[in-house]
Amino acid sequence: MTFAANFLNVIGVVFLSHAVYSAYEHSLLASRSISSPVPSLPLDITLETLFSVLLLCIGVVLSSPDLKPIQWHVWAGRMEKSNEARLVTEVGVGGGNPYAALEERPGFWDVRGAQKAFGGWLRESGEMAN
């Protein structure tokens, strides 16, 4: 699959280079003539440009590596269980769960804990009112 993708990329670059050169030559020829003050590109150059961009897009998509599913909880669990990941070897590398510092900071508000506390307060105040 990579050979076909690389082939499409090379062909796309060749066609795009030819389209750009043709547009440049056309603009030079159109600027020398006085009959057309606003030169427009011929249809063949426009189609060649669009075709080359399409080939390049397909080639880039085919040559990209497979996407991995986004499952942060699985990745963070592996990082916390791995002994190598717990060792901080350099800045920004290793150290376990990268979000642990956010969850353990002093200003972190525990929503579930606050809900339990509020529910307990409501039960207590409801019993006091009766």
Side-chain angles (χ1 to χ4, degrees):
M1 192 67 146
T2 59
F3 176 74
N6 290 337
F7 181 72
L8 285 176
N9 285 333
V10 168
I11 296 299
V13 167
V14 167
F15 276 127
L16 186 62
S17 300
H18 183 263
V20 168
Y21 181 73
S22 299
Y24 173 72
E25 287 293 318
H26 178 74
S27 69
L28 286 180
L29 291 174
S31 67
R32 291 184 185 161
S33 69
I34 301 175
S35 64
S36 175
V38 179
S40 63
L41 283 177
L43 183 62
D44 63 335
I45 296 175
T46 305
L47 290 177
E48 184 180 12
T49 304
L50 292 175
F51 179 69
S52 65
V53 169
L54 179 69
L55 282 179
L56 281 171
C57 288
I58 292 171
V60 166
V61 168
L62 290 178
S63 66
S64 66
D66 292 337
L67 298 176
K68 294 178 177 64
I70 301 173
Q71 297 175 349
W72 288 102
H73 66 280
V74 173
W75 174 80
R78 279 192 218 136
M79 290 297 286
E80 287 178 342
K81 292 176 186 173
S82 169
N83 288 332
E84 295 87 27
R86 290 182 186 193
L87 300 174
V88 179
T89 56
E90 58 185 88
V91 177
V93 177
N97 185 356
Y99 303 112
L102 293 174
E103 294 172 355
E104 296 170 359
R105 66 182 189 258
F108 185 72
W109 184 52
D110 185 15
V111 176
R112 290 185 181 148
Q115 285 177 344
K116 287 180 184 177
F118 182 70
W121 177 77
L122 280 179
R123 281 190 295 276
E124 289 176 8
S125 64
E127 291 174 4
M128 297 274 193
N130 288 336

